[in-house]
Amino acid sequence: MKRFLVRHAKSSALLTTLAIHAGLIVFAVGFVAFAVTIDRKDPFQGIRVDRVRPQMPIRPPRPFHSDRKKPPKPQFQPIAVKPKKVEPTDFVIPPVAMINLPMRGERVPEGTGIGCNFETEMTFFDSESKGEKVCFIVHFGPATIGDNPYSRMTGYVIRKRLEEIVERLPAYTLFNVACYWAGDTCAMSPDMLPASPENKQLMKEWMAPVNPLEGSYDHCFDWQDAAGRVESARAQWPTRVENLPSYSPKWVYPYQTSAETDRQYLGETTRYVHWGRGVAWSVLTQKPDTIFVLTTNYIDGWGNGGNGAPSKMAAAYKQMFTDIYGRNQKDWPTLNVVVLSSAGKDVERANDVLNTQFGPLVKAFNGDGSVIADIADYMNGEEKALLRKYAAEHGKRND
């Protein structure tokens, strides 16, 4: 048997393997295959719960009550400032606003609207007014500038007081100056100038040559060799004329109303002359809100002195003012007049000129008027000493 096994060893191993596999197969077949099933009830379904926010009763808003008392409203009271008469040209200056202004001598173009709507109260030889744009129309003819140093003190003091009032103008004020006599009206500038330090100095330079106390001459409108150039410039406003006589302004812009303007406001046979031409110049070319006129007498073109027609002149200016400023008289400029009495003596006549002749004009244009009874009343100490000196040398004025 051993031999048989040895001889057939390989066959025995195969058979053994087969036998093992056969047993395993029988063992495996003996298992019962089954599926495990779980009896599930109804599948899970989420339950939707509608939550409703409880409605709270709406209460009306409660008014706010503060235990703190409200501070009282500030009470603003106007401050009345009465000008203190330190000098004849004293006035009250309101607060100054900082604005950009043209440089020295630079013209203010028409319609630019430069201004701050501040009104400056000012007094010119006791004639009081207020405004933001002011024209000074000053007589510099033979009646204010005489033929010797004593009589020339009148024009000299007028010029000095004018310099002072312009010097005190606040910077936002616009100003211009014209001198006149008979048929001459000569402006410092063709347009209003801001009252800057540079332009105030410019006005002093313009008037500096006028009416030197010493020397032999007539008056500042005695143009001599410059007469032709001045005459030509009158019809070509604004034309600057320089190289004038040494006693005249440093330069001038001569002005005259056109024949058409004269006919429109005065009629066919009358022309603007003297102070009337100066007022026409200021209204037609400068459009100020304040006009100061310094004169020695009344001349209106309809006749000299008592032969004039103040009511006609007032009517003519009302028409002109309406054309330039509109119908609202609150927009018209004030017309203020200072009458210089002859030689500081004829006060009665000067008052009559102011009240009877200029009265209708001053009243029509809401102005003020005054009389210079004696120019010495407006001199400072140095000027009075100079007047006494000249009085001793040349005698009192005989005009």
Side-chain angles (χ1 to χ4, degrees):
M1 186 59 144
K2 277 185 178 183
R3 290 180 195 170
F4 178 82
L5 292 172
V6 172
R7 189 181 299 169
H8 299 284
K10 294 182 179 180
S11 300
S12 299
L14 177 63
L15 290 176
T16 302
T17 301
L18 292 174
I20 292 171
H21 282 84
L24 291 173
I25 291 171
V26 173
F27 180 76
V29 172
F31 281 97
V32 178
F34 61 91
V36 178
T37 61
I38 300 175
D39 186 13
R40 296 178 178 272
K41 296 183 179 181
D42 292 338
F44 174 78
Q45 295 181 358
I47 301 175
R48 181 175 181 179
V49 179
D50 295 328
R51 295 185 179 183
V52 180
R53 186 172 294 177
Q55 299 293 326
M56 301 296 293
I58 300 176
R59 297 179 181 180
R62 296 176 61 186
F64 175 77
H65 296 287
S66 175
D67 295 334
R68 298 177 59 186
K69 295 183 180 180
K70 294 183 178 179
K73 293 183 178 180
Q75 300 295 324
F76 296 99
Q77 297 180 352
I79 301 175
V81 180
K82 186 176 181 181
K84 182 179 179 182
K85 190 172 181 181
V86 180
E87 293 289 343
T89 53
D90 187 33
F91 56 88
V92 178
I93 300 177
V96 178
M98 298 301 294
I99 57 176
N100 293 324
L101 297 173
M103 299 301 290
R104 171 186 173 89
E106 185 176 350
R107 295 166 56 180
V108 180
E110 184 177 338
T112 55
I114 293 180
C116 302
N117 293 322
F118 296 147
E119 289 188 331
T120 300
E121 296 181 6
M122 62 194 83
T123 302
F124 184 56
F125 290 103
D126 293 333
S127 180
E128 298 179 353
S129 188
K130 60 183 178 180
E132 184 187 359
K133 297 178 288 185
V134 57
C135 279
F136 298 96
I137 303 167
V138 184
H139 188 289
F140 273 154
T144 53
I145 300 176
D147 57 0
N148 63 69
Y150 181 83
S151 60
R152 289 171 184 169
M153 283 295 296
T154 297
Y156 178 81
V157 172
I158 291 173
R159 178 163 61 84
K160 289 300 181 181
R161 298 297 83 81
L162 177 59
E163 288 180 0
E164 289 176 0
I165 191 172
V166 171
E167 183 64 34
R168 296 181 185 181
L169 291 175
Y172 55 78
T173 308
L174 303 178
F175 79 100
N176 206 345
V177 184
C179 55
Y180 74 94
W181 172 68
D184 279 293
T185 296
C186 295
M188 177 189 74
S189 168
D191 298 289
M192 287 280 198
L193 296 176
S196 62
E198 294 80 9
N199 288 329
K200 292 174 182 178
Q201 180 61 33
L202 189 70
M203 188 208 70
K204 294 179 183 179
E205 294 175 8
W206 174 68
M207 288 200 309
V210 174
N211 186 34
L213 296 177
E214 305 288 347
S216 176
Y217 63 94
D218 188 1
H219 58 85
C220 71
F221 296 108
D222 181 17
W223 302 118
Q224 295 188 5
D225 294 341
R229 292 185 288 120
V230 172
E231 178 68 27
S232 176
R234 288 195 191 107
Q236 302 179 46
W237 170 267
T239 299
R240 183 182 176 111
V241 181
E242 299 177 327
N243 299 321
L244 299 170
S246 61
Y247 46 81
S248 299
K250 194 171 182 180
W251 66 87
V252 291
Y253 287 89
Y255 175 83
Q256 69 178 16
T257 52
S258 66
E260 180 182 357
T261 299
D262 291 334
R263 286 193 299 268
Q264 179 180 359
Y265 297 112
L266 301 181
E268 292 292 337
T269 60
T270 308
R271 296 208 67 183
Y272 282 107
V273 295
H274 209 240
W275 62 268
R277 181 181 292 185
V279 173
W281 160 80
S282 67
V283 173
L284 296 175
T285 69
Q286 307 299 297
K287 300 179 179 59
D289 53 31
T290 305
I291 302 170
F292 283 102
V293 176
L294 190 149
T295 184
T296 59
N297 56 353
Y298 180 89
I299 300 175
D300 64 10
W302 277 291
N304 295 336
N307 297 322
S311 296
K312 287 185 178 180
M313 199 68 168
Y317 278 126
K318 284 182 178 179
Q319 183 182 350
M320 179 185 290
F321 285 21
T322 299
D323 292 343
I324 301 301
Y325 296 92
R327 295 186 177 276
N328 188 353
Q329 296 187 15
K330 292 182 178 180
D331 297 331
W332 292 2
T334 62
L335 181 58
N336 311 278
V337 178
V338 177
V339 178
L340 173 67
S341 62
S342 176
K345 298 296 183 182
D346 195 356
V347 180
E348 184 178 351
R349 172 187 169 277
N351 278 302
D352 184 65
V353 169
L354 176 63
N355 297 322
T356 303
Q357 295 173 301
F358 280 104
L361 288 152
V362 172
K363 182 178 180 180
F365 302 106
N366 198 29
D368 190 21
S370 65
V371 168
I372 301 177
D374 192 338
I375 194 65
D377 295 336
Y378 297 91
M379 294 182 181
N380 57 33
E382 181 180 349
E383 291 162 352
K384 287 181 179 179
L386 194 59
L387 182 67
R388 290 191 295 268
K389 171 181 178 293
Y390 287 138
E393 295 176 358
H394 301 276
K396 294 186 177 181
R397 288 171 289 183
N398 192 27
D399 50 2

